[in-house]
Amino acid sequence: MSHGSVGNLVDIQGNEIDVEDKILKKFYNAQCPALQGKPKLFLLQYCRGDELDFGVEVSSKVRLLGSRAATQVDCPTFSKLPTVTDILIANSTVPGFVSNRNTKHGTWFFQCLVEVFKENAKHMDIRDMFDQVSRVLNEKESNDNNRRKQTFEVTSRGFYKKLYFNPYEVVDEQYENDDEEYKNDDDTVSDKQQKNKKGFRKRVMEAWKALVN
């Protein structure tokens, strides 16, 4: 979170930092092997230009579509990775435009982000939540006569996985559904398999608690 211009952030001393070279490239697979295969999420809050977005009148022919369908993508394991993978970048505004801020409540982008994440993080993956953030932000406008608007930008660089902030709840819900199925079919699974399943659920919970603590 900072001031900035197209492609550059301003540090605490007022110096411009190239976002691509000084931040993002540090997390590429060759430069950061420890995070290979791990999701890398960047939330960048800064102005990317001086232009104000005053919006445009919506044509009567325009039909607003819903969010993209949530699909599960399964990819094979490769012995060699591309230089750039598993990176998801959320910029608070698009190139050339300012990023709006309320002096009392903070930036528009983070207001919408917090609102959506608080409500949906327990059951929705990051990209679907970004769709919701975009929808909420699109509805926002300033109270002055110009009625300023704002659009934020999401860039995916080889990011195909579903990222949840509460994976235990998702896994637990999945197994609760499985439990209901097993109750209706006693011959489907053995007692040993049931215990293994519950043990896996416990391990997931313990691993998640250790991570967040």
mmCIF file of all heavy atoms in Angstrom, residues 12-13 24 50-51 79 87 89 97 102 108 136-137 141-142 144 169 187 193 211:
data_model
loop_
_atom_site.group_PDB
_atom_site.id
_atom_site.type_symbol
_atom_site.label_atom_id
_atom_site.label_comp_id
_atom_site.label_asym_id
_atom_site.label_seq_id
_atom_site.Cartn_x
_atom_site.Cartn_y
_atom_site.Cartn_z
ATOM 1 N N ILE A 12 9.188 4.346 1.443
ATOM 2 C CA ILE A 12 9.043 5.267 2.565
ATOM 3 C C ILE A 12 9.955 6.479 2.442
ATOM 4 O O ILE A 12 9.702 7.540 3.028
ATOM 5 C CB ILE A 12 9.318 4.510 3.889
ATOM 6 C CG1 ILE A 12 8.848 5.346 5.084
ATOM 7 C CG2 ILE A 12 10.796 4.160 4.004
ATOM 8 C CD1 ILE A 12 8.889 4.586 6.390
ATOM 9 N N GLN A 13 11.025 6.366 1.657
ATOM 10 C CA GLN A 13 11.944 7.485 1.457
ATOM 11 C C GLN A 13 11.609 8.296 0.199
ATOM 12 O O GLN A 13 12.347 9.217 -0.155
ATOM 13 C CB GLN A 13 13.376 6.954 1.370
ATOM 14 C CG GLN A 13 13.841 6.296 2.667
ATOM 15 C CD GLN A 13 15.227 5.709 2.555
ATOM 16 O OE1 GLN A 13 15.682 5.390 1.454
ATOM 17 N NE2 GLN A 13 15.906 5.569 3.676
ATOM 18 N N LEU A 24 7.985 -8.585 -8.025
ATOM 19 C CA LEU A 24 7.385 -9.787 -8.598
ATOM 20 C C LEU A 24 8.423 -10.812 -9.056
ATOM 21 O O LEU A 24 8.283 -12.012 -8.789
ATOM 22 C CB LEU A 24 6.468 -9.405 -9.763
ATOM 23 C CG LEU A 24 5.279 -8.506 -9.405
ATOM 24 C CD1 LEU A 24 4.471 -8.177 -10.652
ATOM 25 C CD2 LEU A 24 4.393 -9.167 -8.363
ATOM 26 N N ASP A 50 -2.389 9.282 -13.370
ATOM 27 C CA ASP A 50 -3.053 10.483 -12.856
ATOM 28 C C ASP A 50 -4.490 10.626 -13.344
ATOM 29 O O ASP A 50 -5.196 11.558 -12.950
ATOM 30 C CB ASP A 50 -2.268 11.738 -13.265
ATOM 31 C CG ASP A 50 -0.844 11.721 -12.718
ATOM 32 O OD1 ASP A 50 -0.670 11.274 -11.561
ATOM 33 O OD2 ASP A 50 0.078 12.137 -13.447
ATOM 34 N N GLU A 51 -4.910 9.743 -14.216
ATOM 35 C CA GLU A 51 -6.230 9.896 -14.827
ATOM 36 C C GLU A 51 -7.332 9.496 -13.850
ATOM 37 O O GLU A 51 -7.222 8.484 -13.141
ATOM 38 C CB GLU A 51 -6.322 9.030 -16.091
ATOM 39 C CG GLU A 51 -7.552 9.312 -16.927
ATOM 40 C CD GLU A 51 -7.507 8.608 -18.270
ATOM 41 O OE1 GLU A 51 -6.445 8.056 -18.627
ATOM 42 O OE2 GLU A 51 -8.554 8.600 -18.951
ATOM 43 N N SER A 79 8.192 -32.502 -14.442
ATOM 44 C CA SER A 79 9.537 -32.482 -13.884
ATOM 45 C C SER A 79 10.194 -31.128 -14.093
ATOM 46 O O SER A 79 11.208 -30.835 -13.479
ATOM 47 C CB SER A 79 10.393 -33.585 -14.533
ATOM 48 O OG SER A 79 10.453 -33.387 -15.940
ATOM 49 N N ILE A 87 1.338 -17.402 -9.690
ATOM 50 C CA ILE A 87 1.329 -16.004 -9.245
ATOM 51 C C ILE A 87 -0.010 -15.367 -9.615
ATOM 52 O O ILE A 87 -0.462 -15.452 -10.759
ATOM 53 C CB ILE A 87 2.488 -15.209 -9.862
ATOM 54 C CG1 ILE A 87 3.821 -15.648 -9.237
ATOM 55 C CG2 ILE A 87 2.291 -13.708 -9.667
ATOM 56 C CD1 ILE A 87 5.036 -14.930 -9.788
ATOM 57 N N ILE A 89 -1.907 -11.621 -9.185
ATOM 58 C CA ILE A 89 -1.650 -10.225 -8.844
ATOM 59 C C ILE A 89 -2.957 -9.440 -8.904
ATOM 60 O O ILE A 89 -3.658 -9.472 -9.915
ATOM 61 C CB ILE A 89 -0.643 -9.591 -9.827
ATOM 62 C CG1 ILE A 89 0.637 -10.435 -9.898
ATOM 63 C CG2 ILE A 89 -0.325 -8.164 -9.429
ATOM 64 C CD1 ILE A 89 1.483 -10.134 -11.128
ATOM 65 N N PHE A 97 -4.640 5.035 -14.291
ATOM 66 C CA PHE A 97 -5.668 5.633 -13.444
ATOM 67 C C PHE A 97 -5.239 5.708 -11.975
ATOM 68 O O PHE A 97 -4.413 4.925 -11.503
ATOM 69 C CB PHE A 97 -6.969 4.832 -13.540
ATOM 70 C CG PHE A 97 -7.710 5.034 -14.829
ATOM 71 C CD1 PHE A 97 -7.387 4.296 -15.953
ATOM 72 C CD2 PHE A 97 -8.717 5.982 -14.927
ATOM 73 C CE1 PHE A 97 -8.057 4.471 -17.150
ATOM 74 C CE2 PHE A 97 -9.411 6.184 -16.117
ATOM 75 C CZ PHE A 97 -9.069 5.416 -17.233
ATOM 76 N N ASN A 102 -10.901 6.925 0.562
ATOM 77 C CA ASN A 102 -11.722 7.701 1.481
ATOM 78 C C ASN A 102 -10.867 8.006 2.709
ATOM 79 O O ASN A 102 -10.271 7.099 3.288
ATOM 80 C CB ASN A 102 -12.975 6.910 1.871
ATOM 81 C CG ASN A 102 -13.892 7.676 2.803
ATOM 82 O OD1 ASN A 102 -13.606 7.845 3.974
ATOM 83 N ND2 ASN A 102 -15.018 8.128 2.269
ATOM 84 N N TRP A 108 -10.835 2.402 -1.609
ATOM 85 C CA TRP A 108 -12.022 1.711 -2.105
ATOM 86 C C TRP A 108 -11.744 0.225 -2.287
ATOM 87 O O TRP A 108 -12.567 -0.625 -1.949
ATOM 88 C CB TRP A 108 -12.448 2.314 -3.443
ATOM 89 C CG TRP A 108 -13.059 3.666 -3.366
ATOM 90 C CD1 TRP A 108 -13.056 4.524 -2.288
ATOM 91 C CD2 TRP A 108 -13.772 4.334 -4.404
ATOM 92 N NE1 TRP A 108 -13.709 5.679 -2.601
ATOM 93 C CE2 TRP A 108 -14.171 5.601 -3.885
ATOM 94 C CE3 TRP A 108 -14.099 4.012 -5.712
ATOM 95 C CZ2 TRP A 108 -14.877 6.518 -4.662
ATOM 96 C CZ3 TRP A 108 -14.811 4.918 -6.480
ATOM 97 C CH2 TRP A 108 -15.198 6.161 -5.958
ATOM 98 N N VAL A 136 -18.606 -5.486 -6.468
ATOM 99 C CA VAL A 136 -18.871 -4.487 -5.434
ATOM 100 C C VAL A 136 -18.196 -3.168 -5.771
ATOM 101 O O VAL A 136 -18.784 -2.086 -5.623
ATOM 102 C CB VAL A 136 -18.390 -5.001 -4.055
ATOM 103 C CG1 VAL A 136 -18.547 -3.916 -2.992
ATOM 104 C CG2 VAL A 136 -19.176 -6.245 -3.640
ATOM 105 N N LEU A 137 -16.962 -3.241 -6.259
ATOM 106 C CA LEU A 137 -16.223 -2.021 -6.601
ATOM 107 C C LEU A 137 -16.868 -1.306 -7.785
ATOM 108 O O LEU A 137 -16.890 -0.062 -7.833
ATOM 109 C CB LEU A 137 -14.768 -2.369 -6.919
ATOM 110 C CG LEU A 137 -13.806 -1.199 -7.161
ATOM 111 C CD1 LEU A 137 -13.777 -0.260 -5.961
ATOM 112 C CD2 LEU A 137 -12.408 -1.705 -7.486
ATOM 113 N N GLU A 141 -19.143 4.630 -6.188
ATOM 114 C CA GLU A 141 -18.802 5.890 -6.835
ATOM 115 C C GLU A 141 -18.718 7.001 -5.792
ATOM 116 O O GLU A 141 -19.272 6.886 -4.703
ATOM 117 C CB GLU A 141 -19.798 6.247 -7.932
ATOM 118 C CG GLU A 141 -21.207 6.469 -7.492
ATOM 119 C CD GLU A 141 -22.134 6.796 -8.672
ATOM 120 O OE1 GLU A 141 -21.994 6.162 -9.737
ATOM 121 O OE2 GLU A 141 -22.986 7.686 -8.513
ATOM 122 N N SER A 142 -17.983 8.045 -6.143
ATOM 123 C CA SER A 142 -17.757 9.140 -5.202
ATOM 124 C C SER A 142 -19.021 9.969 -5.022
ATOM 125 O O SER A 142 -19.937 9.926 -5.846
ATOM 126 C CB SER A 142 -16.618 10.033 -5.696
ATOM 127 O OG SER A 142 -16.975 10.627 -6.936
ATOM 128 N N ASP A 144 -19.102 13.249 -4.943
ATOM 129 C CA ASP A 144 -19.032 14.570 -5.562
ATOM 130 C C ASP A 144 -19.810 14.576 -6.883
ATOM 131 O O ASP A 144 -20.363 13.563 -7.320
ATOM 132 C CB ASP A 144 -17.570 14.984 -5.782
ATOM 133 C CG ASP A 144 -16.797 13.959 -6.592
ATOM 134 O OD1 ASP A 144 -17.414 13.299 -7.444
ATOM 135 O OD2 ASP A 144 -15.586 13.820 -6.374
ATOM 136 N N GLU A 169 -12.212 -25.957 6.673
ATOM 137 C CA GLU A 169 -13.668 -25.947 6.615
ATOM 138 C C GLU A 169 -14.155 -26.566 5.314
ATOM 139 O O GLU A 169 -15.161 -27.259 5.280
ATOM 140 C CB GLU A 169 -14.191 -24.516 6.753
ATOM 141 C CG GLU A 169 -13.962 -23.921 8.130
ATOM 142 C CD GLU A 169 -14.831 -22.699 8.370
ATOM 143 O OE1 GLU A 169 -15.794 -22.514 7.613
ATOM 144 O OE2 GLU A 169 -14.542 -21.954 9.310
ATOM 145 N N ASP A 187 -22.357 -50.847 3.416
ATOM 146 C CA ASP A 187 -21.416 -51.752 2.777
ATOM 147 C C ASP A 187 -20.368 -51.019 1.950
ATOM 148 O O ASP A 187 -19.473 -51.629 1.393
ATOM 149 C CB ASP A 187 -22.170 -52.720 1.845
ATOM 150 C CG ASP A 187 -23.136 -53.593 2.627
ATOM 151 O OD1 ASP A 187 -22.832 -53.875 3.802
ATOM 152 O OD2 ASP A 187 -24.180 -53.972 2.073
ATOM 153 N N GLN A 193 -11.515 -47.904 7.061
ATOM 154 C CA GLN A 193 -11.487 -46.772 6.136
ATOM 155 C C GLN A 193 -12.111 -45.535 6.759
ATOM 156 O O GLN A 193 -11.653 -44.422 6.564
ATOM 157 C CB GLN A 193 -12.230 -47.140 4.850
ATOM 158 C CG GLN A 193 -11.461 -48.113 3.966
ATOM 159 C CD GLN A 193 -12.292 -48.559 2.785
ATOM 160 O OE1 GLN A 193 -13.428 -48.982 2.953
ATOM 161 N NE2 GLN A 193 -11.725 -48.475 1.602
ATOM 162 N N LEU A 211 -0.327 -23.697 10.934
ATOM 163 C CA LEU A 211 0.056 -22.704 9.917
ATOM 164 C C LEU A 211 -0.403 -21.316 10.305
ATOM 165 O O LEU A 211 0.346 -20.340 10.225
ATOM 166 C CB LEU A 211 -0.542 -23.105 8.570
ATOM 167 C CG LEU A 211 -0.224 -22.191 7.386
ATOM 168 C CD1 LEU A 211 1.272 -22.207 7.091
ATOM 169 C CD2 LEU A 211 -1.001 -22.643 6.142
#
